[in-house]
């Protein structure tokens, strides 16, 4: 029995070098699948794991003697690397300043984003926790203003054929079947947003992707945890800020391209592999404007359990 993903449906294989094993038990303490156990002072593969090795690599990463190797589920011992020293990590103050400085920017210079920077953004995004291995997060990269603009034009053309979903008769028919909040969102947000997208693109104004020089669409598979692509997108956003780029998360693309035959046709045309419960479209580029102040944000609530 193995946890299925879009990339594999078989468990990983655990190999143990008993001569190197010291029986310290660290690997057993971090394996939450119970795939390994201590027997007669040595680690052995357990006969009754919970699911079968998911390939998280925790046992291999913590073993002080290099006695364990894990292979499978798109993972191998060659993927292991030494963790950077703690002293080289960003301080809390540095990290907080990075996040304080980040603002949503929709005004970009025409300068392209170099391929080396794109690679660094993706390398950082790959470090994000992304659910059960192997990651089921996909990334569509639009690496030029022309590609970003073309996507927006195709998207608006697709939306133009879907205007009935915000028509008065459709909202009236749906009112008994969905919540008050859903009705308010469709009436007061989705409907004006769809019209703004489609009507402005006809005037040459791109309110979908703002003609950014780089965009990435992070999305999952039918097997993925809904949070996974959102977390990866957030890591990419932070990496871009550290590289001197500005970013903006666009929430108005993903929901429109998930359901129905026309949505499937649009996804296939764009090279999007599947529908996804959650996803996020992120813009990147060099800012045309310079903000000098930030806005203090708040949570809807913060309650400490008594």
């Amino acid at each position: 029995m193995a946890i299925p993903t879009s990339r594999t449906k078989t468990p990983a294989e655990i190999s143990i070098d008993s001569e190197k094993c010291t029986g310290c038990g660290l690997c057993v303490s971090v394996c939450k699948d119970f795939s390994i156990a201590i027997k007669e002072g040595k680690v052995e593969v357990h006969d009754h794991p919970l699911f079968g090795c998911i390939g998280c690599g925790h046992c291999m990463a913590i073993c002080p003697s290099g006695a364990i190797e894990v292979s499978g589920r798109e993972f191998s011992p060659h993927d292991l690397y030494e963790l950077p020293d703690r002293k080289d990590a960003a301080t809390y103050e540095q990290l907080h300043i990075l996040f304080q400085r980040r603002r949503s920017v929709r005004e970009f210079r025409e300068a392209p984003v170099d391929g080396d920077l794109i690679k660094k953004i993706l390398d950082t995004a790959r470090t994000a926790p992304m659910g059960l291995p192997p990651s089921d997060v996909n990334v569509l990269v639009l690496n030029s203003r022309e590609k970003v603009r073309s996507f927006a034009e195709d998207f608006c053309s697709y939306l133009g054929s879907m205007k009935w979903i915000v028509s008065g008769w459709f909202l009236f028919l749906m009112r008994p079947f969905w919540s008050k909040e859903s009705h308010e969102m469709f009436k007061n947000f989705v409907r004006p947003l769809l019209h703004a997208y489609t009507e402005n693109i006809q005037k040459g104004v791109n309110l979908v992707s703002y003609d950014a020089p780089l965009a990435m669409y992070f999305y999952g598979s039918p097997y993925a945890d809904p949070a996974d692509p959102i977390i990866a997108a957030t890591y990419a956003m932070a990496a871009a800020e550290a590289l001197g780029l500005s970013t903006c998360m666009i929430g108005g693309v993903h929901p429109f391209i998930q359901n129905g035959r026309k949505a499937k046709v649009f996804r296939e045309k764009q090279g999007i592999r599947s529908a996804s419960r959650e996803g996020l479209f992120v813009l990147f580029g060099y800012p045309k404007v310079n903000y000098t102040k930030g806005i203090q944000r708040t949570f809807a609530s913060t309650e400490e359990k008594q």
Side-chain angles (χ1 to χ4, degrees):
M1 179 174 63
I3 299 176
T5 74
S6 69
R7 300 171 69 187
T8 183
K9 293 176 173 53
T10 58
E13 295 184 1
I14 303 172
S15 175
I16 300 170
D17 186 332
S18 60
E19 300 223 346
K20 291 183 179 178
C21 178
T22 64
C24 68
L26 285 173
C27 56
V28 176
S29 69
V30 299
C31 179
K32 304 312 176 190
D33 182 64
F34 312 111
S35 288
I36 49 181
I38 295 286
K39 186 176 180 180
E40 297 180 0
K42 296 284 185 178
V43 173
E44 291 187 359
V45 177
H46 200 279
D47 292 333
H48 302 289
L50 181 59
F51 298 110
C53 178
I54 63 172
C56 70
H58 278 33
C59 59
M60 183 167 62
I62 203 170
C63 179
S65 60
I68 301 179
E69 290 190 348
V70 179
S71 300
R73 296 183 72 84
E74 305 295 323
F75 174 77
S76 81
H78 298 295
D79 295 311
L80 210 62
Y81 63 89
E82 294 292 328
L83 287 178
D85 197 289
R86 180 69 187 176
K87 67 179 177 56
D88 296 323
T91 64
Y92 167 79
E93 288 74 17
Q94 291 170 331
L95 186 63
H96 188 61
I97 288 171
L98 177 74
F99 290 147
Q100 278 186 316
R101 283 189 51 81
R102 195 216 72 83
R103 288 201 54 78
S104 293
V105 170
R106 300 171 181 83
E107 298 78 24
F108 299 101
R109 304 205 312 262
E110 292 189 9
V113 178
D114 186 75
D116 182 57
L117 295 186
I118 296 174
K119 180 180 182 301
K120 287 181 178 179
I121 291 169
L122 291 171
D123 284 346
T124 298
R126 289 187 187 97
T127 69
M130 291 185 277
L132 296 168
S135 168
D136 253 349
V137 173
N138 299 282
V139 189
L140 174 67
V141 180
L142 305 172
N143 58 7
S144 71
R145 293 180 77 245
E146 292 74 23
K147 292 177 183 177
V148 172
R149 176 81 181 200
S150 177
F151 181 96
E153 290 174 344
D154 287 348
F155 178 66
C156 288
S157 177
Y158 157 72
L159 287 184
S161 68
M162 300 289 291
K163 285 187 176 180
W164 59 269
I165 67 172
V166 294
S167 64
W169 65 265
F170 180 77
L171 296 182
F172 176 78
L173 287 176
M174 289 300 296
R175 185 66 188 89
F177 300 101
W178 58 19
S179 67
K180 172 186 174 183
E181 293 80 8
S182 294
H183 182 76
E184 288 177 340
M185 283 296 290
F186 256 77
K187 182 178 179 181
N188 300 322
F189 177 68
V190 176
R191 179 159 64 180
L193 181 67
L194 187 150
H195 287 300
Y197 280 166
T198 57
E199 292 169 10
N200 277 280
I201 202 73
Q202 293 175 1
K203 303 173 186 176
V205 180
N206 178 7
L207 297 184
V208 177
S209 56
Y210 299 94
D211 291 338
L214 172 65
M216 297 184 188
Y217 173 45
F218 293 81
Y219 64 100
S221 80
Y223 294 98
D225 188 295
D228 292 349
I230 309 301
I231 297 171
T234 303
Y235 272 49
M237 179 195 68
E241 179 68 32
L243 291 167
L245 300 172
S246 289
T247 62
C248 184
M249 291 182 167
I250 303 296
V253 172
H254 173 81
F256 284 117
I257 62 173
Q258 299 311 307
N259 302 300
R261 182 184 61 81
K262 289 183 178 180
K264 182 179 180 182
V265 171
F266 176 83
R267 292 196 306 269
E268 289 174 348
K269 179 180 179 181
Q270 301 300 327
I272 298 169
R273 294 170 179 262
S274 68
S276 174
R277 283 176 289 176
E278 294 293 344
L280 202 54
F281 200 76
V282 188
L283 308 180
F284 306 83
Y286 295 99
K288 188 184 288 186
V289 295
N290 181 37
Y291 288 96
T292 58
K293 293 180 174 60
I295 307 295
Q296 183 64 54
R297 299 180 177 90
T298 61
F299 289 122
S301 69
T302 305
E303 298 181 18
E304 193 169 315
K305 186 72 173 179
Q306 300 298 317

